[in-house]
Amino acid sequence: QVQLVESGGGSVQAGGSLRLSCAASGYTYSKYYMGWFRQAPGKEREGVAAITTGGGTTFYADSVKGRFTISRDNAKMTLYLQMNSLKPEDTAMYYCAAARWITMGWQYDRQYNYWGQGTQVTVSS
């Protein structure tokens, strides 16, 4: 059974940091691209960052470039998102997702086969 379990969310003041983790199980983790998405109330889900199978290439939304860092540990089957200099507009539910193939751009969420349940990030001003 495939599982993606996010953790590390919470409440933080603007300028603070959080590190999200996503523990994967039930599939061949190292063969899947991994991504982080977020959804704020009343807004569409948006791609935050993605990483290739070996971790050699990363992608970021313009809104988080220079502040967030995505990484993965294939031995531990875990995905990470280090979030620094957080802003109130980063407040959202954050989801990790796994895609066997990326052919239409990493932000196209329908390419992702598996999704976690999400972890809430709240940034206060």
Side-chain angles (χ1 to χ4, degrees):
Q1 180 182 358
V2 173
Q3 279 195 311
L4 294 175
V5 180
E6 302 95 336
S7 61
S11 297
V12 64
Q13 289 193 324
S17 298
L18 285 172
R19 189 194 195 201
L20 305 184
S21 297
C22 171
S25 61
Y27 70 103
T28 309
Y29 177 79
S30 61
K31 291 187 176 181
Y32 282 68
Y33 294 83
M34 297 297 297
W36 286 100
F37 289 76
R38 67 186 181 186
Q39 188 167 22
K43 294 188 176 181
E44 290 189 357
R45 184 164 60 190
E46 64 173 349
V48 175
I51 189 167
T52 53
T53 54
T57 302
T58 56
F59 308 90
Y60 295 95
D62 287 344
S63 58
V64 306
K65 275 181 184 175
R67 299 189 298 122
F68 291 10
T69 303
I70 188 171
S71 62
R72 65 189 295 165
D73 185 330
N74 283 353
K76 295 182 178 179
M77 296 179 63
T78 303
L79 178 72
Y80 303 100
L81 185 68
Q82 178 66 44
M83 305 187 295
N84 298 329
S85 302
L86 283 161
K87 304 176 180 180
E89 51 263 45
D90 295 318
T91 295
M93 185 72 78
Y94 283 71
Y95 301 89
C96 67
R100 185 66 180 90
W101 303 109
I102 297 290
T103 59
M104 291 179 283
W106 67 272
Q107 293 172 299
Y108 187 56
D109 58 4
R110 292 197 178 190
Q111 297 178 109
Y112 289 79
N113 308 96
Y114 308 127
W115 290 83
Q117 293 300 306
T119 185
Q120 178 68 38
V121 171
T122 302
V123 184
S124 58
S125 56

